[in-house]
């Protein structure tokens, strides 16, 4: 069984800032997209269970070696990085055409992608790949099982914890939802780590002619997040009386207490309601 | 009664056979121990010899653990001296005297008079000790002797010791009657009178003497052969174990040199050092470690005693198989032996009480290192390690939020070129946990009162690596060490102050191996210093306080007195837990337990807080943010938050400032 996993290197969302003038993201720290990490974990589980051959692929400049090396250290068998300089502004559709070439060259039974990236979040890569590769696609997978050599079952999430289950035949593209698993941890100098460092990332230079260089979308604008509307009450500086009101939850609309027997109380409430709404 | 030539030949032949069997066995055990890795244990010969004098001959290893509830150490003292005296007795009178046919000369000197008298007393005391051991095992049945206690073997042994001494005293009595012994000793005299009274003829007495003499000899040879095959090998191995003991402080860890290659940690017996393999033979099965282990006492699947003994049993298995098949690497230590190692809180109580200086804790760390090497984790541990790997702390705090906290606490961020009195190592818990921030606030107030210039590292401070190392992830630990040392390197300061004993222990004891050369103080020491120098003054007005010793401050660093001194200055009544100082009971957070996912059995912090509740004191003082969190958590579970308070010493001092 040959499993290909597409990895994307994204700027670390925790420290990334937007450069609004040049409409670009600034980041010094590039990390592996979390959903892709989980796709990798699924692939590695297939490797542990069925002896699948796991290849990771990324379209990235040289800095991409970092995540590919990481994937090797986590247990991937092969890592391929494809790149050509004009791709710096490429959109998902263009990248998918490169991935298609690489994946077809390796040969595959399953292609696993993360459902979405934390940087562009287009959720389109899996679908684009299935179009390019002419194989079925299942998106948002929260669990899957493989039966035999050629088929499997896929679970997708519906609202309120409901699940859909599809059966599918190899070859196929699956995009996994974040939360499908918890990726393993590979410690420095552990067995897997040492084996991974002995493997090398294969880099692939592409001829420009091979690439479908027509972007399907265009980035229009990056804007600052809108300021949030403020909720809550400022309590410093309030008098004790009003502070107690806040603490008892008596702010906002007016409240009134009616006492007496139930029938009397109900009559009073009814009268009050009439007074307010009529 | 001298033996004739035939008897004497039989005598020496039997001894040769017995010695042959037992020395063959000891040789096999020696070969097994030699399977272990090298470790330097021939340094400090003077100190080593002194430990043998104090702990073996002086029996301090047993006496140090004696309490009102546990008097077994006295029993061992009597047995020990009895055995020593009788070994000498048998060598002088039996082997040299009777074996060489010079019995009369040997027995009738002034020295023998005193020595036989001493033997009588030693023998009596030994019999009393054996009898009380039998009562202890048969009736009292203390939990620490389980679960590997074999009553059949014990009672057979106790009976044969009893028989041996009956033989000895009868023989001595008969010797008086047959006039081969000039001196009369009390117990022997009693037996002599007995035979007189029943009017046994001299001839029958002589025959009886022969029979009993050979029975006694048989028993002695029996012991010689039996001992190295049983747990009574410990008298042979324990003195060596004490001689070769480790002088490193409790819980300190040997760094891994990654250039030396794989695999890391211990997965097979030959990965242990020879000293660690020796420990299994030296173990006395006393179970004191198990009896003080917080994990074992709260029904976790860990017993330090059984870990050491199971590894030893596995070693014997491997050894017996090795003779047939010569493999490059022996079999992996089975999982049922190592299943409990993640339950260890690394509190070090087992190391502290062990009479023969065994270090189950060191074995556990080595075994954990191999789990990390093979990629086997507890879920909670894995998450904490992953976060530490990605964010440099187990709480996944970002660097900017660390800086923000410095502003919130009103503390400067340390910059190069500036002179500081104190660099305050806040620790990850203070950056994350609001309760720990209270401790930091209190410490800062005290520092301000003492007029000291203080700064913290903010985003440059990473996890100190304590829990990382104790979970066995040495690679990540060493990365954190170098990052932290880089952060501290350019700064100009007097001391690094920390309120967390885990950070304190790691920075103070473990960083110097990697080249750190700064002074580290714990805030209890620091506050004590400020108080004694008069830089801050406090009122002595607090009510009763009970102090909980954090393991990493007490057992790991022997800081027992400064916190108590500080508390004595703010309160007239400082009480103690039933388990305190070096016997302190863990709060349950150490060794990565703070992040452990699921645990069976009772909770360790509940156990500790119950001990506090029983004393009736309303304020529990401690000096560790993790102890604080664990104990408060336990209070919350018990619904006693309104009645009792857990406070850090710094908070109490800050309240008492005047």
């Amino acid at each position: 069984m040959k499993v290909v996993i597409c990895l994307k290197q994204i700027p670390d969302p925790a420290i990334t800032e937007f450069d609004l003038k040049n409409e670009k993201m600034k980041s010094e720290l590039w990390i592996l997209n979390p959903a892709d990490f989980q796709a990798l974990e699924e692939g590695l589980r297939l490797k542990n269970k069925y002896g699948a051959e796991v290849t990771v692929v990324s379209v990235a400049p040289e800095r991409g070696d970092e995540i590919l090396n990481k994937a090797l250290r986590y247990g991937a068998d092969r890592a391929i990085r494809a790149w050509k300089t004009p791709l710096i502004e490429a959109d998902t559709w263009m990248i998918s055409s490169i991935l298609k070439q690489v994946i077809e060259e390796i040969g595959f039974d399953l292609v696993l992608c993360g459902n979405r990236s934390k940087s562009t979040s287009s959720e389109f890569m899996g679908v684009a790949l299935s179009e390019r590769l002419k194989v079925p696609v299942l998106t948002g997978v929260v669990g899957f099982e493989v039966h035999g050599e050629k088929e499997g079952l896929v679970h997708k999430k519906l609202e309120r914890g409901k699940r859909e289950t599809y059966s599918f035949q190899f070859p196929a593209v699956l995009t996994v939802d974040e939360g499908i698993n918890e990726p393993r941890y590979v410690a420095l100098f552990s067995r897997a780590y040492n084996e991974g460092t002995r493997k090398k990332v294969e880099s692939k230079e592409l001829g420009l002619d091979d690439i479908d260089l027509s972007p399907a979308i265009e980035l229009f604008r990056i804007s600052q997040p809108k300021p949030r509307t403020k909720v809550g009450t400022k309590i410093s500086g309030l008098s004790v009386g009003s502070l107690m009101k806040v603490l008892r939850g008596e702010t906002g609309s007016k409240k009134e207490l009616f006492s007496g027997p139930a029938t009397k109380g109900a009559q009073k409430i009814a009268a009050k309601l009439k007074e307010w709404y009529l | 009664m001298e033996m004739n030539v035939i008897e004497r030949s039989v005598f020496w032949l039997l001894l040769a056979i017995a010695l042959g069997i037992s020395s063959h066995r000891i040789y096999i055990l020696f070969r097994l121990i030699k399977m272990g890795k090298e470790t330097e244990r021939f340094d400090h010969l003077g100190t080593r010899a002194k430990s043998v004098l104090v702990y073996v001959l002086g029996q301090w290893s047993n006496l140090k653990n004696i309490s009102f509830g546990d008097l077994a150490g006295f029993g061992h003292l009597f047995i020990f001296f009895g055995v020593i005296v009788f070994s000498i007795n048998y060598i002088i009178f039996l082997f040299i005297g009777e074996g060489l046919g010079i019995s009369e000369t040997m027995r009738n000197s002034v020295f023998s008079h005193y020595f036989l008298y001493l033997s009588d007393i030693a023998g009596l005391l030994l019999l009393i000790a054996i009898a009380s051991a039998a009562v202890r095992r048969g009736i009292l049945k203390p939990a620490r002797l389980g679960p590997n206690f074999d009553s059949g073997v014990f009672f057979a042994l106790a009976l044969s010791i009893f028989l041996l001494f009956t033989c000895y005293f009868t023989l001595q009595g008969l010797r008086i009657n047959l006039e081969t012994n000039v001196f009369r000793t009390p117990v022997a005299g009693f037996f002599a009178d007995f035979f007189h009274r029943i009017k046994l003829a001299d001839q029958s007495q002589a025959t009886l003497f022969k029979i009993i003499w050979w029975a006694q000899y048989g028993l002695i040879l029996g012991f010689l052969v039996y001992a190295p095959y049983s747990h009574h090998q410990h008298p042979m191995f324990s003195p060596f174990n004490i001689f070769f003991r480790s002088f490193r402080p409790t819980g300190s860890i040997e760094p891994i040199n990654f250039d030396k290659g794989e695999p890391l940690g211990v997965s097979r017996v030959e990965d242990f050092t020879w000293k660690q393999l020796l420990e299994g033979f030296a173990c006395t099965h006393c179970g004191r470690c198990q009896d003080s282990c917080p994990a074992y006492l709260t029904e976790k699947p860990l017993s330090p005693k059984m870990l050491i003994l199971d590894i030893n049993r596995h070693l014997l298995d491997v050894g017996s198989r090795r003779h047939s098949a010569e493999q490059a690497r022996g079999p992996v230590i089975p999982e049922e032996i190592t299943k409990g190692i993640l339950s260890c809180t690394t509190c070090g109580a087992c190391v502290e009480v062990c009479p023969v200086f065994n270090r189950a804790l060191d074995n556990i760390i080595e075994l954990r290192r191999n789990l990390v090497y093979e990629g086997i984790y507890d879920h909670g541990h894995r998450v904490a390690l992953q976060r530490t790997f990605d964010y440099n702390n187990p709480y996944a705090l970002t660097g900017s939020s660390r800086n923000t906290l410095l502003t919130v606490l009103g503390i400067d961020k340390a910059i190069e070129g500036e002179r500081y009195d104190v660099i305050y190592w806040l620790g990850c818990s203070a950056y994350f946990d609001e309760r720990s921030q209270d401790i930091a606030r209190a410490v800062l107030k005290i520092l301000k009162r003492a007029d000291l210039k203080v700064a913290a590292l903010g985003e440059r401070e990473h996890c100190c690596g304590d829990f990382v190392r104790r979970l066995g992830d040495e690679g990540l630990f060493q990365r954190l060490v170098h990052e932290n040392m880089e952060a501290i390197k350019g700064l100009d300061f007097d001391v690094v102050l920390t309120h967390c004993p885990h950070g304190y222990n790691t920075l103070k004891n473990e960083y110097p191996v990697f080249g750190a050369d700064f002074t580290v103080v714990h805030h209890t020491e620091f506050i004590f210093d400020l108080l004694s120098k008069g830089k801050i003054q406090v009122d002595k007005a607090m009510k009763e306080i009970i102090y909980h010793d954090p393991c990493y401050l007490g057992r790991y660093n022997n800081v027992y007195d400064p916190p108590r001194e500080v508390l004595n200055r703010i309160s007239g009544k400082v009480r103690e837990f039933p388990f305190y100082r070096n016997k302190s009971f863990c709060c349950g957070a150490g060794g990565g337990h703070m992040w452990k996912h699921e645990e069976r059995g009772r909770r360790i912090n509940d156990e500790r807080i119950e001990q506090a509740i029983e004393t009736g004191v309303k304020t529990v003082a401690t000096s560790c943010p993790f102890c604080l969190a664990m104990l408060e958590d336990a209070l919350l579970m018990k619904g006693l938050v309104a009645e009792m308070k857990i406070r850090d010493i710094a908070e109490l001092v800050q309240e008492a400032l005047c």
Side-chain angles (χ1 to χ4, degrees), chain B residues 213-386:
Chain B
W213 191 90
W214 282 102
Q216 177 200 25
Y217 189 52
L219 280 169
I220 294 170
L221 294 185
F223 278 121
L224 268 183
V225 174
Y226 163 79
Y229 282 91
S230 73
H231 103 252
H232 291 92
Q233 62 203 331
H234 94 251
M236 285 172 235
F237 290 101
S238 301
F240 289 103
N241 203 47
I242 292 176
F243 183 79
F244 292 124
R245 77 193 176 98
S246 167
F247 291 117
R248 290 183 296 131
T250 304
S252 78
I253 296 173
E254 200 88 40
I256 295 181
N257 182 356
F258 292 107
D259 299 335
K260 280 200 176 161
E262 300 167 73
L264 309 179
V266 167
S267 61
R268 294 159 168 86
V269 281
E270 64 258 33
D271 297 335
F272 282 115
T273 63
W274 59 262
K275 171 61 179 49
Q276 283 169 317
L277 296 181
L278 173 64
E279 285 178 0
F281 296 108
C283 176
T284 66
H285 300 219
C286 74
R288 287 192 178 93
C289 50
Q290 175 179 304
D291 208 32
S292 59
C293 176
Y296 183 82
L297 292 177
T298 53
E299 291 113 33
K300 311 286 185 295
L302 171 72
S303 155
K305 171 172 93 168
M306 292 320 291
L307 182 75
I308 284 187
L309 290 177
D310 285 345
I311 290 173
N312 185 251
R313 208 189 55 222
H314 179 66
L315 173 68
L316 291 170
D317 280 0
V318 173
S320 56
R321 249 177 287 160
R322 275 222 148 193
H323 286 289
S324 48
E326 288 287 333
Q327 287 166 308
R329 298 222 344 116
V332 176
I333 298 173
E335 210 193 310
E336 64 258 28
I337 293 179
T338 58
K339 65 181 185 300
I341 57 169
L342 286 181
S343 296
C344 173
T345 66
T346 67
C347 74
C350 55
V351 178
E352 201 70 32
V353 293
C354 183
V356 296
F357 294 92
N358 277 354
R359 291 191 160 210
L361 179 54
D362 293 5
N363 296 2
I364 288 172
I365 301 287
E366 288 296 335
L367 287 162
R368 283 180 174 189
R369 278 177 167 171
N370 193 259
L371 289 190
V372 169
Y373 176 74
E374 299 290 352
I376 304 162
Y377 298 94
D378 171 75
H379 173 75
H381 288 163
R382 200 196 59 227
V383 173
L385 286 172
Q386 180 77 62

Side-chain angles (χ1 to χ4, degrees), chain B residues 189-203:
Chain B
F190 173 79
F191 276 87
D193 292 347
F194 172 75
F195 288 117
H196 250 310
R197 222 171 300 133
I198 58 168
K199 298 200 172 69
L200 212 57
D202 275 6
Q203 193 52 44

Side-chain angles (χ1 to χ4, degrees), chain A residues 246-267:
Chain A
V246 174
L247 291 177
R248 282 201 296 263
E250 290 172 7
T251 51
S253 56
K254 217 166 125 192
K255 291 191 185 80
E256 241 176 289
L257 262 179
F258 303 105
S259 52
T263 45
K264 284 269 171 65
Q267 277 169 14

